[in-house]
Amino acid sequence: MLPVARKPIVQYVAEELVANGVRDILFVTGRNKSSIENHFDSDPELTRLLTANNKTDLLHEMEESDLAAQIFYTRQRQQRGLGDAILCGENFAGEQPFVVALGDSILGLHAQSRSVSRMIEVFETKRASCVVAVEEVPADETKHYGIVHPAEIEDDVVRVQDLVEKPDPKDAPSRLAIAGRYIFSPIIFDLIRRVKPDKRNEIQLTDAMRLLAEEGRRVLAVKLPPNEKRYDIGNFPSYFETFVEFALADPLYGAEFKKKLREMVTD
Ligand code: G1P
């Protein structure tokens, strides 16, 4: 439930999905994560209190954070990696293609990204089995991401021939890093089951995607546009930067915060 500026990160991710047309969201959570369920639930006591105290601005904010989506929850009982977490959604997805959004990434300032819509369009028109969002990262950062091996690039769409999870810069097939959003056809579940656990006993989703490509199925990547950068919340330096950037862009408090920040930096 880590917040960035005014909202918890999960709220941004859910809002982004809803803005891109997703109407059913399954959270795959784990032990001690019930705060996520509480966050998306209604809070009649708080509503009553705010109404009684005439806090209309806060009430308005609460209404705005209500999502036009149905939310479901399930738990991954053991930390067996991202691939295993996706398997927890198998019954939920059924026979339908589905979007995966990782909770450590916000796309676009204040989650204003439309990349998932673009990915859905590419998935449908190119009859892909998988479409993944990618962004270019500096060479020394490939070891933090899944990296795609491009076969062909046409505008923002990359045909992927292989993928490697967290390669050293010298082994990286490109600098195009998986950016935390994926669309899969349900065929991926069988392939995840075929993946062998890595040294940490985790089932990597990237390895299942690799099998997809190996089988000759169409795996495509869509490059994030320059104005929709990915904010990585998974490590402290970029979490701090994201917080400051979002706070500076806050319509109500941004200008004042900028002044304060200038004072703090020049002191
Ligand atoms: C996961 C994926 C990786 C992807 C990254 C994006 O790694 O395994 O391929 O590039 O998310 O956030 P994690 O950050 O969970 O180690």
Side-chain angles (χ1 to χ4, degrees), residues 83 87 129-130 147 160-165 178 184-185 187-197 203-220:
L87 275 185
S129 294
C130 163
I147 302 291
V160 176
Q161 63 180 46
D162 197 6
L163 306 100
V164 196
E165 183 66 9
I178 297 176
F184 290 110
S185 108
I187 185 90
I188 194 69
F189 295 117
D190 285 338
L191 295 169
I192 295 174
R193 271 191 281 272
R194 275 171 40 196
V195 168
K196 298 212 171 54
I203 311 275
Q204 292 300 339
L205 181 60
T206 305
D207 291 340
M209 291 160 68
R210 186 171 207 180
L211 292 176
L212 261 187
E214 246 172 53
E215 279 197 344
R217 293 184 190 266
R218 192 164 298 166
V219 178
L220 301 173

Side-chain angles (χ1 to χ4, degrees), residues 3 17 62 75 81 106 143 155 171 180 205 228 230 233 267:
L17 294 176
M62 270 177 81
R75 283 189 180 197
I106 299 176
K143 55 182 177 297
D155 302 325
D171 304 320
L205 181 60
E228 289 191 8
R230 164 180 178 263
I233 322 296
D267 272 354

Side-chain angles (χ1 to χ4, degrees), residues 113-162:
S113 169
R114 290 296 173 271
S115 285
V116 166
S117 299
R118 171 73 183 133
M119 290 164 69
I120 293 172
E121 179 184 291
V122 169
F123 184 91
E124 284 171 351
T125 56
K126 310 253 181 212
R127 296 168 175 276
S129 294
C130 163
V131 176
V132 62
V134 289
E135 64 165 359
E136 201 155 304
V137 295
D140 61 346
E141 288 184 19
T142 58
K143 55 182 177 297
H144 302 303
Y145 300 105
I147 302 291
V148 305
H149 185 171
E152 208 182 292
I153 303 183
E154 201 187 324
D155 302 325
D156 62 338
V157 181
V158 180
R159 192 161 61 77
V160 176
Q161 63 180 46
D162 197 6

